[in-house]
Amino acid sequence: MTTNNLSQTGDFLSISRANEWHLEPSSFSLDNGTQVDVLDTGVIQFTPENYGSKDIVLSSAVHGNETAPIEICDELIKGIIKGELQLAHRVLFIFGNPASINIEKRFVEENLNRLFCGAHKNGEQNNEKIRAAKLEAYVNQFFNALSDENRKRIHYDLHTAIRDSKNEKFAVYPFLNGKPWKKEELSFLLSCGVNTIMMMKSPATTFSYFSSSMFNADAFTIELGKVRPFGENDMSRFEKAKNTLTQLISQETMVFPEFNFADFELFEVHRTINRTQEDFRFPFSDSAANFTGFAKGELLATDGDTDYFAEVDGEAIIFPNAKVALGQRALLTVIPLQNKTDFV
């Protein structure tokens, strides 16, 4: 399949999977006047004839085995190209790592979501590092195409988690370097069915932090459930997210119920535990869910000769992965957010 029949099928996902690392740019217009620009494999931009005040990036497949968000974005793209969904804003869709989709793994050689903010320049180059640099360039081009400083920039990086979670859907709010968190953004997440938010306390090399820090975008890493193969997702569990994303790109404005802190479970990162030794292990089973809490003094991880114990009662685990590369984060721990005054 080539881009020649994309205007008929709308199946940009299949074209991207057939061209894992590169696709020649192409453009065409829809009957409703929307400009469609294929920038590369997995990267497609839509510019409606009369676009509104938002520039929106929706990314998925930064980890190729996280299929539910890929299916959501695939459906949205098809709806736009077939004329079933009329856009109100400029939108850039990104399937981050088509090659990893094809092998049904998180990545091919290196975790793409650890390679942004220039981290792709470090060490020996590989396809994922080259891809990260390209994705940075496409997002930069998209956000900086218009000079109006009042435009609202948005980037939602859609994922599913490796393991189950006591809170099935949750989002990571990137470090804002002292700027206040936004209630409106939390209300958007709640509309997606996401009421659990983790507030980061330091810079990162993730895709969402890149957009947040470089372009002042309202950006999140959004975990919509658990990793499952294509065809095994219960898409009814993602209906709220799909409907809210549809409203986001097709309506000029969105209206949410009055904000109430009681609707949310808000956490702040307590600490990061990195794997530095080959002998790294957890005392809990692979079935232990995200947000499982531990009593003060309980063992959380062993890194060679170093043991890590829970420092406070209720310290909870997030994203435990003992198999990450040496030097990378093997575990985040979180505690309930104490300070709720830094919101606007």
Side-chain angles (χ1 to χ4, degrees), residues 142-222:
F142 178 71
F143 280 142
N144 286 322
L146 303 175
S147 58
D148 183 357
E149 295 181 358
N150 295 318
R151 298 187 61 77
K152 180 177 174 65
R153 294 170 171 175
I154 295 168
H155 181 185
Y156 299 132
D157 186 29
L158 308 175
H159 289 255
T160 51
I162 296 173
R163 61 179 64 215
D164 287 321
S165 175
K166 296 178 82 172
N167 307 58
E168 182 188 47
K169 297 177 175 65
F170 60 97
V172 179
Y173 207 141
F175 176 61
L176 297 184
N177 197 27
K179 291 181 291 187
W181 299 307
K182 295 182 179 180
K183 293 178 181 177
E184 182 182 20
E185 287 300 309
L186 267 60
S187 294
F188 172 85
L189 293 170
L190 187 64
S191 181
C192 288
V194 180
N195 78 328
T196 302
I197 321 293
M198 268 173 33
M199 312 302 193
M200 299 300 289
K201 295 168 62 177
S202 60
T205 53
T206 60
F207 204 6
S208 62
Y209 180 75
F210 168 73
S211 292
S212 173
S213 62
M214 295 299 295
F215 309 106
N216 199 29
D218 291 314
F220 290 85
T221 303
I222 304 177

Coordinates of all heavy atoms in Angstrom, one line a residue, residues 142-222:
F142 N 5.8 21.9 13.4 CA 4.4 22.1 13.6 C 4.0 23.2 14.5 O 3.2 24.1 14.2 CB 3.8 20.8 14.1 CG 2.3 20.8 14.3 CD1 1.4 20.8 13.3 CD2 1.8 20.8 15.6 CE1 0.1 20.8 13.5 CE2 0.4 20.8 15.9 CZ -0.4 20.8 14.8
F143 N 4.7 23.3 15.7 CA 4.3 24.3 16.6 C 4.8 25.7 16.2 O 4.2 26.7 16.6 CB 4.9 23.9 18.0 CG 4.1 22.9 18.8 CD1 4.8 21.9 19.5 CD2 2.7 22.9 18.8 CE1 4.0 21.0 20.3 CE2 2.0 22.0 19.5 CZ 2.6 21.0 20.3
N144 N 5.9 25.7 15.4 CA 6.4 27.0 15.1 C 6.0 27.5 13.7 O 6.5 28.5 13.2 CB 8.0 27.0 15.2 CG 8.4 27.0 16.6 OD1 7.8 27.7 17.5 ND2 9.5 26.3 16.9
A145 N 5.1 26.8 13.1 CA 4.7 27.2 11.7 C 3.9 28.5 11.7 O 3.9 29.2 10.7 CB 3.8 26.1 11.1
L146 N 3.2 28.8 12.8 CA 2.5 30.0 12.9 C 3.1 30.9 14.0 O 3.5 30.4 15.0 CB 1.0 29.7 13.3 CG 0.3 28.8 12.3 CD1 -1.1 28.4 12.8 CD2 0.2 29.4 10.9
S147 N 3.1 32.2 13.8 CA 3.8 33.1 14.7 C 2.9 33.7 15.8 O 3.4 34.4 16.7 CB 4.3 34.3 13.9 OG 3.3 35.0 13.2
D148 N 1.6 33.3 15.8 CA 0.7 33.8 16.8 C 1.0 33.2 18.2 O 0.9 32.0 18.4 CB -0.7 33.5 16.4 CG -1.8 34.1 17.4 OD1 -1.4 34.7 18.4 OD2 -3.0 33.9 17.1
E149 N 1.5 34.1 19.1 CA 1.9 33.6 20.4 C 0.7 33.2 21.3 O 0.9 32.6 22.3 CB 2.7 34.6 21.2 CG 4.1 34.9 20.5 CD 4.9 36.0 21.2 OE1 4.4 36.5 22.2 OE2 6.0 36.3 20.8
N150 N -0.5 33.6 20.9 CA -1.7 33.3 21.7 C -2.3 31.9 21.4 O -3.3 31.5 22.0 CB -2.8 34.4 21.5 CG -2.3 35.7 22.0 OD1 -1.7 35.8 23.1 ND2 -2.6 36.8 21.2
R151 N -1.7 31.2 20.4 CA -2.3 29.9 20.1 C -2.0 28.9 21.2 O -0.9 29.0 21.8 CB -1.7 29.4 18.8 CG -2.0 30.3 17.6 CD -1.6 29.6 16.3 NE -2.3 28.3 16.0 CZ -3.5 28.2 15.6 NH1 -4.3 29.3 15.4 NH2 -4.0 27.0 15.4
K152 N -2.9 28.0 21.5 CA -2.8 27.0 22.5 C -2.1 25.8 21.9 O -2.6 25.2 21.0 CB -4.1 26.7 23.1 CG -4.1 25.6 24.2 CD -5.5 25.4 24.8 CE -5.5 24.3 25.8 NZ -4.7 24.5 27.0
R153 N -1.0 25.4 22.5 CA -0.3 24.2 22.0 C -0.6 23.0 23.0 O -0.5 23.2 24.2 CB 1.2 24.5 22.0 CG 1.6 25.5 21.0 CD 3.1 26.0 21.1 NE 3.5 26.8 20.0 CZ 4.7 27.4 20.0 NH1 5.6 27.2 21.0 NH2 5.0 28.1 18.9
I154 N -0.8 21.9 22.4 CA -1.3 20.7 23.1 C -0.5 19.5 22.6 O -0.4 19.3 21.4 CB -2.8 20.5 23.0 CG1 -3.6 21.6 23.6 CG2 -3.2 19.1 23.6 CD1 -5.1 21.6 23.3
H155 N 0.0 18.6 23.5 CA 0.5 17.3 23.0 C 0.1 16.3 24.0 O 0.6 16.3 25.2 CB 2.1 17.4 22.9 CG 2.7 16.1 22.5 ND1 4.1 16.0 22.5 CD2 2.2 14.9 22.1 CE1 4.4 14.7 22.0 NE2 3.2 14.1 21.8
Y156 N -0.7 15.3 23.6 CA -1.0 14.2 24.4 C -0.4 13.0 23.8 O -0.7 12.6 22.7 CB -2.6 14.0 24.5 CG -3.3 15.2 25.1 CD1 -4.4 15.8 24.4 CD2 -2.8 15.8 26.3 CE1 -5.0 16.9 25.0 CE2 -3.5 16.9 26.8 CZ -4.6 17.4 26.2 OH -5.2 18.5 26.7
D157 N 0.5 12.4 24.6 CA 1.3 11.2 24.2 C 0.6 10.0 24.8 O 0.6 9.8 26.0 CB 2.7 11.3 24.6 CG 3.6 10.2 24.1 OD1 3.3 9.6 23.0 OD2 4.6 9.8 24.8
L158 N 0.0 9.2 24.0 CA -1.0 8.1 24.5 C -0.2 6.8 24.6 O 0.4 6.3 23.6 CB -2.1 8.0 23.5 CG -2.9 9.3 23.2 CD1 -3.9 9.1 22.1 CD2 -3.5 9.9 24.5
H159 N -0.4 6.2 25.7 CA 0.3 4.9 26.0 C -0.7 3.9 26.7 O -1.8 4.3 27.1 CB 1.5 5.1 27.0 CG 2.6 5.9 26.4 ND1 3.8 5.2 26.1 CD2 2.8 7.2 26.1 CE1 4.7 6.1 25.6 NE2 4.1 7.3 25.6
T160 N -0.2 2.7 26.9 CA -0.7 1.7 27.8 C 0.4 1.2 28.6 O 1.6 1.1 28.1 CB -1.6 0.6 27.2 OG1 -0.8 0.0 26.2 CG2 -2.9 1.1 26.6
A161 N 0.2 0.7 29.9 CA 1.3 0.3 30.8 C 1.5 -1.2 30.6 O 0.7 -2.0 30.2 CB 0.9 0.6 32.2
I162 N 2.8 -1.6 31.0 CA 3.2 -3.0 30.9 C 2.4 -3.8 31.8 O 2.0 -5.0 31.5 CB 4.7 -3.1 31.3 CG1 5.6 -2.3 30.3 CG2 5.1 -4.5 31.4 CD1 7.0 -2.3 30.6
R163 N 2.1 -3.3 33.0 CA 1.4 -4.2 34.0 C 0.1 -3.5 34.4 O -0.2 -2.4 34.0 CB 2.3 -4.4 35.3 CG 2.7 -3.1 36.0 CD 3.5 -3.4 37.2 NE 4.8 -4.0 36.8 CZ 5.4 -5.0 37.6 NH1 4.9 -5.4 38.7 NH2 6.6 -5.5 37.2
D164 N -0.7 -4.3 35.1 CA -2.0 -3.8 35.6 C -1.7 -2.6 36.6 O -0.6 -2.4 37.1 CB -2.7 -4.9 36.4 CG -3.3 -5.9 35.5 OD1 -3.8 -5.6 34.4 OD2 -3.3 -7.1 35.8
S165 N -2.8 -1.8 36.8 CA -2.7 -0.7 37.7 C -3.9 -0.7 38.6 O -5.1 -1.0 38.2 CB -2.7 0.6 36.9 OG -2.7 1.7 37.8
K166 N -3.7 -0.4 39.9 CA -4.9 -0.2 40.8 C -5.7 1.0 40.3 O -6.9 1.0 40.6 CB -4.3 0.0 42.2 CG -3.6 -1.2 42.8 CD -3.0 -0.9 44.2 CE -4.1 -1.2 45.2 NZ -3.5 -1.1 46.6
N167 N -5.1 1.9 39.6 CA -5.8 3.0 39.0 C -5.6 2.8 37.5 O -4.6 3.1 36.9 CB -5.3 4.3 39.4 CG -5.2 4.5 40.9 OD1 -4.6 3.7 41.6 ND2 -5.9 5.5 41.4
E168 N -6.6 2.2 36.8 CA -6.4 1.7 35.5 C -5.9 2.7 34.5 O -5.0 2.4 33.7 CB -7.8 1.1 34.9 CG -7.6 0.5 33.5 CD -8.9 0.2 32.9 OE1 -9.9 1.0 32.9 OE2 -9.0 -0.9 32.3
K169 N -6.4 3.9 34.6 CA -6.0 5.0 33.7 C -5.3 6.1 34.5 O -5.9 6.5 35.5 CB -7.1 5.5 32.9 CG -7.8 4.5 31.9 CD -9.0 5.1 31.2 CE -9.6 4.1 30.2 NZ -10.1 2.9 30.8
F170 N -4.2 6.5 34.1 CA -3.5 7.6 34.8 C -2.6 8.4 33.8 O -2.4 8.0 32.7 CB -2.7 7.1 36.0 CG -1.6 6.1 35.6 CD1 -0.3 6.6 35.5 CD2 -1.8 4.8 35.5 CE1 0.8 5.7 35.2 CE2 -0.8 3.9 35.2 CZ 0.5 4.3 35.0
A171 N -2.3 9.6 34.3 CA -1.5 10.5 33.4 C -0.3 11.0 34.2 O -0.3 11.2 35.4 CB -2.3 11.7 32.9
V172 N 0.8 11.3 33.4 CA 2.0 11.9 34.0 C 2.1 13.4 33.5 O 2.1 13.6 32.3 CB 3.3 11.1 33.5 CG1 4.5 11.8 34.1 CG2 3.2 9.7 33.9
Y173 N 2.0 14.3 34.5 CA 2.1 15.7 34.2 C 3.6 16.1 34.3 O 4.2 16.0 35.3 CB 1.3 16.5 35.3 CG 0.8 17.8 34.9 CD1 -0.5 18.2 35.4 CD2 1.5 18.7 34.1 CE1 -1.0 19.4 35.0 CE2 1.0 19.9 33.7 CZ -0.3 20.3 34.2 OH -0.8 21.5 33.8
P174 N 4.2 16.5 33.1 CA 5.6 16.8 33.1 C 6.0 17.9 34.1 O 5.2 18.8 34.4 CB 5.9 17.2 31.7 CG 4.8 16.5 30.9 CD 3.6 16.6 31.8
F175 N 7.2 17.9 34.5 CA 7.8 18.9 35.4 C 7.7 20.3 34.7 O 8.0 20.4 33.5 CB 9.3 18.6 35.6 CG 10.0 19.6 36.4 CD1 9.7 20.0 37.6 CD2 11.2 20.3 35.8 CE1 10.4 20.9 38.4 CE2 11.9 21.2 36.5 CZ 11.5 21.5 37.8
L176 N 7.1 21.3 35.4 CA 6.8 22.6 34.8 C 7.8 23.7 35.3 O 7.6 24.8 35.0 CB 5.4 23.0 35.1 CG 4.3 22.1 34.6 CD1 2.9 22.7 34.9 CD2 4.4 22.0 33.0
N177 N 8.8 23.3 36.0 CA 9.9 24.2 36.4 C 9.3 25.4 37.1 O 9.6 26.6 36.9 CB 10.7 24.7 35.2 CG 12.0 25.3 35.6 OD1 12.6 25.0 36.7 ND2 12.5 26.2 34.8
G178 N 8.4 25.2 38.1 CA 7.8 26.3 38.9 C 6.5 26.9 38.4 O 5.9 27.6 39.1
K179 N 6.1 26.6 37.1 CA 4.9 27.1 36.6 C 3.7 26.3 37.2 O 3.9 25.1 37.6 CB 4.8 27.0 35.1 CG 5.8 28.0 34.4 CD 5.7 27.8 32.9 CE 6.3 26.5 32.4 NZ 6.3 26.5 30.9
P180 N 2.5 26.9 37.4 CA 1.4 26.2 38.0 C 0.8 25.2 37.1 O 0.8 25.3 35.9 CB 0.4 27.4 38.3 CG 0.7 28.4 37.3 CD 2.2 28.3 37.1
W181 N 0.3 24.2 37.8 CA -0.5 23.1 37.1 C -1.9 23.7 36.7 O -2.4 24.6 37.4 CB -0.7 21.9 37.9 CG 0.6 21.3 38.3 CD1 1.6 20.9 37.5 CD2 1.1 20.9 39.6 NE1 2.6 20.3 38.2 CE2 2.3 20.3 39.5 CE3 0.5 21.1 40.9 CZ2 3.1 19.9 40.6 CZ3 1.2 20.6 42.0 CH2 2.5 20.1 41.8
K182 N -2.5 23.2 35.7 CA -3.7 23.8 35.1 C -4.9 22.9 35.4 O -5.0 21.7 35.0 CB -3.6 24.0 33.6 CG -2.6 25.0 33.3 CD -2.5 25.3 31.7 CE -1.5 26.3 31.4 NZ -1.4 26.5 29.9
K183 N -5.9 23.5 36.1 CA -7.1 22.7 36.4 C -7.9 22.3 35.1 O -8.5 21.2 35.1 CB -8.1 23.6 37.3 CG -7.5 23.8 38.7 CD -8.5 24.7 39.5 CE -8.0 25.0 40.9 NZ -8.9 25.9 41.6
E184 N -7.8 23.2 34.1 CA -8.5 22.8 32.9 C -8.0 21.6 32.3 O -8.7 20.8 31.7 CB -8.4 24.0 31.9 CG -9.2 23.8 30.6 CD -9.0 24.9 29.6 OE1 -8.1 25.7 29.7 OE2 -9.8 25.0 28.7
E185 N -6.7 21.4 32.3 CA -6.1 20.2 31.8 C -6.5 19.0 32.5 O -6.7 17.9 32.0 CB -4.5 20.3 31.7 CG -4.0 21.3 30.7 CD -4.4 20.9 29.3 OE1 -4.2 19.7 28.9 OE2 -5.0 21.7 28.5
L186 N -6.6 19.1 33.9 CA -7.0 17.9 34.6 C -8.5 17.6 34.3 O -8.9 16.4 34.3 CB -6.9 18.2 36.1 CG -5.5 17.7 36.8 CD1 -4.3 18.4 36.1 CD2 -5.5 18.0 38.3
S187 N -9.3 18.7 34.1 CA -10.7 18.4 33.7 C -10.8 17.7 32.4 O -11.7 16.8 32.2 CB -11.4 19.8 33.6 OG -11.5 20.4 34.9
F188 N -9.9 18.0 31.4 CA -9.9 17.3 30.2 C -9.6 15.9 30.4 O -10.2 15.0 29.8 CB -8.8 17.9 29.2 CG -8.6 17.1 28.0 CD1 -9.4 17.3 26.9 CD2 -7.6 16.2 27.9 CE1 -9.2 16.5 25.7 CE2 -7.4 15.4 26.8 CZ -8.2 15.6 25.7
L189 N -8.5 15.6 31.2 CA -8.2 14.2 31.5 C -9.3 13.4 32.2 O -9.6 12.3 31.9 CB -6.9 14.2 32.4 CG -5.6 14.7 31.8 CD1 -4.5 14.8 32.8 CD2 -5.2 13.8 30.6
L190 N -10.0 14.1 33.1 CA -11.2 13.5 33.8 C -12.2 13.1 32.7 O -12.8 12.0 32.8 CB -11.7 14.4 34.8 CG -12.8 13.8 35.7 CD1 -12.3 12.7 36.6 CD2 -13.4 14.9 36.6
S191 N -12.4 14.0 31.7 CA -13.4 13.7 30.7 C -13.0 12.5 29.9 O -13.8 11.7 29.3 CB -13.5 14.9 29.8 OG -14.5 14.7 28.7
C192 N -11.7 12.2 29.8 CA -11.1 11.0 29.1 C -11.2 9.7 30.0 O -10.9 8.7 29.5 CB -9.6 11.2 28.8 SG -9.3 12.4 27.5
G193 N -11.7 9.9 31.2 CA -11.8 8.8 32.1 C -10.5 8.6 33.0 O -10.3 7.5 33.6
V194 N -9.7 9.6 33.0 CA -8.4 9.6 33.7 C -8.5 10.5 34.9 O -8.6 11.7 34.8 CB -7.2 10.0 32.8 CG1 -5.9 10.0 33.6 CG2 -7.2 9.2 31.6
N195 N -8.5 9.9 36.1 CA -8.7 10.8 37.3 C -7.4 10.7 38.2 O -7.4 11.3 39.3 CB -9.9 10.4 38.2 CG -9.7 9.1 39.0 OD1 -9.0 8.2 38.6 ND2 -10.4 9.1 40.1
T196 N -6.4 9.9 37.8 CA -5.2 9.8 38.6 C -4.1 10.4 37.9 O -3.8 10.1 36.7 CB -4.9 8.3 38.8 OG1 -6.0 7.6 39.5 CG2 -3.7 8.1 39.7
I197 N -3.4 11.4 38.5 CA -2.4 12.2 37.9 C -1.1 12.2 38.8 O -1.2 12.3 40.0 CB -2.8 13.7 37.7 CG1 -4.3 13.8 37.3 CG2 -1.9 14.4 36.7 CD1 -4.6 13.3 36.0
M198 N 0.0 12.0 38.1 CA 1.3 12.0 38.7 C 2.1 13.3 38.4 O 2.2 13.5 37.2 CB 2.2 10.8 38.3 CG 2.1 9.6 39.1 SD 3.0 8.2 38.3 CE 4.3 9.0 37.5
M199 N 2.4 14.1 39.4 CA 3.1 15.3 39.1 C 4.7 15.1 39.2 O 5.2 14.7 40.2 CB 2.7 16.4 40.2 CG 1.2 16.5 40.4 SD 0.4 16.9 38.9 CE -1.2 17.4 39.5
M200 N 5.3 15.3 38.1 CA 6.8 15.1 38.0 C 7.5 16.2 38.7 O 7.1 17.4 38.6 CB 7.3 14.9 36.6 CG 6.6 13.7 35.9 SD 7.0 12.1 36.7 CE 8.7 11.9 36.3
K201 N 8.7 15.9 39.3 CA 9.4 16.9 40.0 C 10.8 17.3 39.4 O 11.6 18.0 40.0 CB 9.6 16.5 41.5 CG 8.3 16.3 42.2 CD 8.5 15.6 43.5 CE 9.5 16.3 44.5 NZ 9.6 15.6 45.8
S202 N 11.0 16.7 38.2 CA 12.4 17.0 37.6 C 12.2 16.8 36.1 O 11.3 16.1 35.6 CB 13.4 16.0 38.2 OG 13.0 14.7 37.9
P203 N 13.2 17.3 35.3 CA 13.2 17.2 33.9 C 13.3 15.7 33.5 O 13.7 14.9 34.3 CB 14.4 18.0 33.4 CG 14.6 18.9 34.5 CD 14.3 18.2 35.8
A204 N 12.9 15.4 32.2 CA 12.9 14.0 31.7 C 13.3 14.1 30.3 O 13.5 15.1 29.7 CB 11.6 13.4 32.0
T205 N 13.4 12.9 29.7 CA 13.8 12.8 28.3 C 12.6 12.1 27.5 O 12.8 11.5 26.5 CB 15.0 12.0 28.0 OG1 14.9 10.7 28.7 CG2 16.3 12.7 28.6
T206 N 11.4 12.3 28.0 CA 10.2 11.8 27.4 C 9.6 12.7 26.3 O 10.0 13.9 26.3 CB 9.1 11.5 28.4 OG1 8.8 12.8 29.1 CG2 9.6 10.6 29.5
F207 N 8.8 12.2 25.5 CA 8.2 13.0 24.4 C 7.3 14.1 24.9 O 7.4 15.2 24.4 CB 7.4 12.0 23.5 CG 7.2 12.5 22.1 CD1 7.9 13.6 21.6 CD2 6.4 11.8 21.2 CE1 7.7 14.1 20.3 CE2 6.3 12.2 19.9 CZ 6.9 13.3 19.4
S208 N 6.5 13.8 26.0 CA 5.7 14.9 26.5 C 6.5 16.0 27.2 O 6.1 17.1 27.1 CB 4.6 14.3 27.5 OG 5.3 13.7 28.6
Y209 N 7.5 15.6 27.9 CA 8.4 16.7 28.5 C 9.0 17.5 27.4 O 9.2 18.7 27.6 CB 9.4 16.1 29.4 CG 10.3 17.1 30.1 CD1 9.8 17.9 31.1 CD2 11.5 17.4 29.6 CE1 10.5 18.9 31.7 CE2 12.3 18.4 30.2 CZ 11.8 19.2 31.2 OH 12.5 20.2 31.8
F210 N 9.4 16.9 26.3 CA 10.0 17.7 25.2 C 9.1 18.8 24.8 O 9.4 20.0 24.7 CB 10.3 16.7 24.1 CG 10.7 17.5 22.8 CD1 11.9 18.1 22.6 CD2 9.8 17.5 21.7 CE1 12.2 18.8 21.5 CE2 10.1 18.1 20.5 CZ 11.3 18.8 20.4
S211 N 7.8 18.5 24.5 CA 6.8 19.5 24.0 C 6.5 20.5 25.1 O 6.3 21.7 24.8 CB 5.6 18.8 23.5 OG 5.8 18.0 22.4
S212 N 6.4 20.0 26.4 CA 6.1 20.9 27.5 C 7.2 21.9 27.7 O 7.0 23.1 27.8 CB 5.9 20.1 28.7 OG 5.7 20.9 29.9
S213 N 8.5 21.5 27.7 CA 9.6 22.3 28.1 C 10.0 23.2 26.9 O 10.4 24.3 27.1 CB 10.8 21.5 28.6 OG 11.2 20.6 27.5
M214 N 10.0 22.7 25.7 CA 10.5 23.4 24.5 C 9.5 24.4 23.9 O 9.9 25.4 23.4 CB 11.0 22.4 23.5 CG 12.2 21.6 23.9 SD 13.6 22.5 24.3 CE 14.0 23.3 22.7
F215 N 8.2 24.1 24.0 CA 7.2 24.8 23.3 C 6.1 25.3 24.2 O 5.1 25.9 23.7 CB 6.6 24.0 22.2 CG 7.6 23.4 21.3 CD1 7.9 22.0 21.3 CD2 8.4 24.2 20.4 CE1 8.9 21.5 20.5 CE2 9.3 23.6 19.6 CZ 9.6 22.3 19.7
N216 N 6.2 25.1 25.5 CA 5.2 25.5 26.5 C 3.9 24.9 26.2 O 2.8 25.5 26.4 CB 5.1 27.1 26.5 CG 4.4 27.6 27.8 OD1 4.5 26.9 28.9 ND2 3.7 28.7 27.7
A217 N 3.9 23.7 25.6 CA 2.7 23.0 25.3 C 2.1 22.4 26.6 O 2.8 22.0 27.5 CB 2.9 21.9 24.3
D218 N 0.7 22.3 26.6 CA 0.1 21.5 27.6 C 0.2 20.1 27.2 O -0.4 19.6 26.3 CB -1.4 21.9 27.7 CG -1.6 23.3 28.3 OD1 -0.9 23.6 29.3 OD2 -2.4 24.1 27.7
A219 N 1.1 19.4 27.9 CA 1.5 18.0 27.4 C 1.4 17.0 28.6 O 1.7 17.3 29.7 CB 2.9 18.1 26.9
F220 N 1.0 15.8 28.2 CA 0.9 14.7 29.2 C 1.3 13.4 28.5 O 1.1 13.2 27.3 CB -0.5 14.6 29.7 CG -1.0 15.7 30.6 CD1 -1.5 16.8 30.0 CD2 -0.9 15.6 31.9 CE1 -2.0 17.9 30.8 CE2 -1.3 16.6 32.7 CZ -1.9 17.8 32.2
T221 N 1.9 12.5 29.3 CA 1.9 11.1 29.0 C 0.7 10.5 29.6 O 0.5 10.5 30.8 CB 3.2 10.4 29.6 OG1 4.4 11.1 29.1 CG2 3.3 9.0 29.2
I222 N -0.2 9.9 28.8 CA -1.5 9.4 29.3 C -1.5 7.9 29.1 O -1.4 7.3 28.0 CB -2.6 10.0 28.5 CG1 -2.6 11.5 28.6 CG2 -4.0 9.5 29.0 CD1 -3.6 12.3 27.8

